Amino acid sequence: MRFSKFKLVLLALASGVLLALGWPTYGFPLLLFFAFVPLLLAERQLRLSEAKRKGLKIFGLSYLTFVIWNAITTSWLRFADLFGASFAVFVNAALMALIVLIYHKYAKRQSTNRALLFLVVLWISFEKLHLGWEFSWPWLNLGNGFSEYMSWIQWYEYTGTFGGTLWIWILNVLIFKGILSYQDDQSKRVLKSVLLKCAGLIIVPILISFAIYSSYTQEGETVNVIALQPNIDPYSEKYNMTNLNFAELFFELSDSKITDATDFVIAPETFLAESTPLSKFDNSLLKSKFDRYVKAHPNVNLLTGISFYDMFTDKSKIKKETNTYKFTANTWYDDYNAALLINSSNSVQQYNKSKLVVGIENFPYQDILKPILGDALIDLGGTVAMKTTQDYRGVFTASNSKFKVAPIICYESVYGEFVSGYVRNEANFLAIITNDAWWNETQGHKQHLSYAKLRAVETRRDIVRSANTGISAIINAKGEITSRLAYGEKGAVSGQIRTNDTITFYVMAGDYIARISIFILVFVGLIGFFRRKKETS
């Protein structure tokens, strides 16, 4: 089948629209199972044609597909920063298009089957890269696409989201090859065979998931929790209030739900937004206010986000993310987006956010980019300093020593293997504290909540989610939201969760599908690019 240039463009457009319409929290993920097929057909037609500059045309068509997908699904970023949103959309689309271009170069030298295998492992390896490098942006990793259909993917406790990515690509490859076979002989038998295989590959994993879903039970300690949702405008109100004001708001919201049985009260990311010197916190009026509240409720554990800084003149303390203090010579400071746990014990437990938002909390590849861009971090509500991280996934222990909570801060909740690190460090439930008000009433905060459900299934841990403005919620280990507060609503949500001390296969093995894919990619890539294709008669 031959396509005109116009039809090639239509195929690229179709892939972009199908990917977008298959995405949460508004789409239907069944579309993802064939969304790449039109683009693969366009690439094959160009590859087998006599057209000039094929590589450039393939890149252009692919770029069109992925700009559409990125723009429709993540254009909400513009509410935080137009430049940052544009960078995320156009650069991420370019990286995705580069994958198709590399596949195109490989497919010219190798058989269809080997080339498609190369494409699948290349894409999975790209998603793994997006989880780890300094320009990390895994929002559109394909396995996230099922986050509104948790009953389909209960087997994520074994595979993580890379199982979903592999599932999507297997179906796309099968449908693509089926179309090629049908074009060759126009046989209804071939068409029927492909349809049956596709139906089986979709239905069987879903049936397995339903079986896991219906049989799963959780037996653990009951934890009574409260998640606060202060609903403070981060663009104006939030950074104009003192921490003492926020402390009073904390107590006001908590008092609306607290009982003698309450174990945890959880407040959102940077709830205490006024930057506080780390060395002075223990003896501060702010700390004494929280201590008095705990004394009045001796069984309660208070978990909250706070902004800390630590200023110093000792060069030996300088870390990769340390900032230079511009107003005093030979002075530096670490800026922390932190979580605190305060309870009846004497010590305050602290965790520092370690998966940072690119361009907002983290300046990627400073050695290369800083000479070009200067200190051009995106201004997001006054947050313009590099944040200092920690390597260890800190877990907070309650005053009764039975409850161990993972203090997951905002963007960290998008990273499956990262979150599993808390569970390996004995967290028996998860707390996500976040501030989703930057994106207004868009898909941004809805997708962020939806992705949290993936972490519940991967780790089989209940989740308490406290959002400044967004959706505060309680999520069970099946990924079901059992209680929530609507966007823009001020208040608190309370409920019961259960602890869990079992370790899922995914928590033990991590992103093993991605690691296997990288190994296959290297092996198949070396064969494909450095071994000459055999001549055919």
Side-chain angles (χ1 to χ4, degrees):
M1 183 182 295
R2 300 185 65 84
F3 299 104
S4 67
K5 292 180 180 179
F6 177 68
K7 288 184 178 178
L8 292 174
V9 171
L10 285 181
L11 287 170
L13 286 169
S15 277
V17 171
L18 287 170
L19 285 165
L21 292 180
W23 209 248
T25 51
Y26 54 84
F28 185 46
L30 196 66
L31 300 176
L32 299 176
F33 289 131
F34 55 90
F36 289 98
V37 173
L39 181 62
L40 293 177
L41 290 171
E43 183 282 328
R44 179 178 173 81
Q45 176 59 34
L46 265 175
R47 175 166 29 101
L48 299 180
S49 72
E50 300 298 324
K52 297 180 180 178
R53 298 188 295 276
K54 295 179 186 178
L56 182 61
K57 291 175 181 177
I58 292 295
F59 184 85
L61 289 172
S62 304
Y63 192 62
L64 176 62
T65 291
F66 297 127
V67 163
I68 292 170
W69 181 26
N70 279 262
I72 292 175
T73 53
T74 62
S75 61
W76 43 265
L77 285 166
R78 70 187 185 277
F79 287 100
D81 184 86
L82 183 58
F83 173 78
S86 301
F87 187 86
V89 168
F90 293 116
V91 173
N92 200 46
L95 293 172
M96 292 174 169
L98 183 61
I99 292 173
V100 179
L101 178 60
I102 295 171
Y103 158 71
H104 167 72
K105 298 292 185 182
Y106 188 94
K108 290 196 299 183
R109 306 169 61 93
Q110 296 298 322
S111 67
T112 298
N113 287 340
R114 186 176 289 174
L116 289 170
L117 172 63
F118 177 79
L119 174 60
V120 172
V121 296
L122 178 62
W123 186 279
I124 293 174
S125 300
F126 163 72
E127 289 194 350
K128 182 61 176 175
L129 169 71
H130 246 342
L131 290 166
W133 71 325
E134 291 189 30
F135 275 111
S136 179
W137 178 240
W139 207 268
L140 295 183
N141 282 11
L142 291 171
N144 295 337
F146 301 102
S147 63
E148 288 295 285
Y149 289 78
M150 300 306 298
S151 59
W152 292 14
I153 52 167
Q154 292 294 305
W155 39 266
Y156 271 21
E157 68 171 296
Y158 299 100
T159 69
T161 57
F162 281 106
T165 298
L166 183 60
W167 193 24
I168 288 169
W169 269 113
I170 288 173
L171 266 297
N172 274 274
V173 166
L174 182 61
I175 293 169
F176 172 65
K177 288 191 64 181
I179 291 173
L180 297 185
S181 297
Y182 182 72
Q183 288 174 354
D184 287 341
D185 58 19
Q186 299 293 308
S187 170
K188 291 183 179 180
R189 179 183 56 81
V190 170
L191 189 60
K192 183 179 179 180
S193 174
V194 171
L195 290 175
L196 288 174
K197 288 178 182 177
C198 289
L201 282 171
I202 293 172
I203 293 171
V204 170
I206 293 175
L207 290 177
I208 292 172
S209 180
F210 281 152
I212 297 172
Y213 178 84
S214 61
S215 63
Y216 180 80
T217 57
Q218 185 173 335
E219 298 177 358
E221 297 280 349
T222 298
V223 190
N224 295 287
V225 297
I226 298 172
L228 308 184
Q229 185 165 295
N231 195 35
I232 301 293
D233 184 349
Y235 287 106
S236 56
E237 192 176 2
K238 184 176 176 68
Y239 292 93
N240 292 324
M241 294 173 64
T242 68
N243 283 346
L244 295 177
N245 297 142
F246 281 116
E248 294 302 323
L249 178 59
F250 184 106
F251 306 144
E252 174 191 336
L253 295 175
S254 177
D255 285 343
S256 68
K257 297 286 185 179
I258 199 167
T259 69
D260 291 340
T262 300
D263 297 300
F264 277 85
V265 180
I266 299 172
E269 175 190 22
T270 60
F271 176 75
L272 302 172
E274 184 182 17
S275 198
T276 302
L278 181 60
S279 60
K280 297 180 179 180
F281 177 74
D282 284 343
N283 298 315
S284 66
L285 178 59
L286 177 65
K287 172 64 163 47
S288 68
K289 280 182 173 289
F290 280 100
D291 286 340
R292 285 197 298 272
Y293 194 77
V294 168
K295 188 174 182 181
H297 307 280
N299 295 322
V300 79
N301 299 270
L302 308 181
L303 195 162
T304 183
I306 187 170
S307 293
F308 273 139
Y309 70 88
D310 181 27
M311 194 167 290
F312 55 89
T313 57
D314 183 357
K315 282 187 176 182
S316 66
K317 294 176 63 178
I318 294 176
K319 306 181 184 71
K320 179 182 177 182
E321 303 101 337
T322 295
N323 300 274
T324 301
Y325 189 63
K326 297 180 180 179
F327 303 103
T328 305
N330 299 317
T331 303
W332 299 269
Y333 68 97
D334 289 324
D335 195 19
Y336 299 102
N337 183 345
L340 290 182
L341 186 75
I342 301 172
N343 54 30
S344 56
S345 65
N346 293 325
S347 60
V348 174
Q349 299 173 56
Q350 178 182 343
Y351 169 75
N352 304 314
K353 184 178 181 182
S354 299
K355 277 292 185 183
L356 304 178
V357 180
V358 177
I360 297 168
E361 299 172 313
N362 174 40
F363 196 152
Y365 302 109
Q366 285 193 71
D367 294 341
I368 300 171
L369 296 180
K370 196 165 185 177
I372 302 171
L373 301 177
D375 292 316
L377 287 173
I378 298 171
D379 186 354
L380 189 60
T383 305
V384 294
M386 283 275 290
K387 301 299 179 184
T388 301
T389 64
Q390 66 180 65
D391 294 329
Y392 183 74
R393 301 284 71 74
V395 173
F396 292 163
T397 302
S399 55
N400 65 8
S401 300
K402 293 188 299 183
F403 306 143
K404 296 186 177 182
V405 55
I408 303 164
I409 304 177
C410 190
Y411 192 47
E412 294 180 331
S413 65
V414 183
Y415 295 81
E417 190 174 59
F418 182 90
V419 170
S420 72
Y422 295 101
V423 177
R424 288 194 298 274
N425 288 337
E426 301 184 348
N428 50 32
F429 77 95
L430 311 180
I432 297 174
I433 60 174
T434 186
N435 184 13
D436 292 345
W438 309 113
W439 313 310
N440 295 333
E441 181 62 51
T442 64
Q443 293 299 319
H445 74 273
K446 297 175 184 177
Q447 290 172 357
H448 197 196
L449 168 67
S450 189
Y451 293 174
K453 297 186 290 183
L454 301 171
R455 308 290 86 81
V457 172
E458 288 171 342
T459 63
R460 290 303 183 190
R461 295 296 189 271
D462 287 1
I463 296 175
V464 187
R465 189 177 194 269
S466 172
N468 169 46
T469 294
I471 302 175
S472 297
I474 296 173
I475 305 169
N476 68 21
K478 293 182 179 182
E480 300 169 320
I481 296 175
T482 60
S483 187
R484 64 194 291 167
L485 278 179
Y487 181 92
E489 182 179 348
K490 180 179 179 179
V493 58
S494 62
Q496 290 186 336
I497 62 170
R498 286 190 177 274
T499 62
N500 188 8
D501 293 320
T502 61
I503 300 296
T504 66
F505 183 83
Y506 175 72
V507 169
M508 287 191 296
D511 294 331
Y512 65 94
I513 291 176
R515 288 190 284 273
I516 293 171
S517 295
I518 293 170
F519 175 79
I520 296 173
L521 176 67
V522 173
F523 182 72
V524 175
L526 288 174
I527 292 176
F529 284 114
F530 296 103
R531 182 180 177 183
R532 296 183 65 180
K533 184 178 179 181
K534 292 182 179 180
E535 297 293 332
T536 57
S537 58

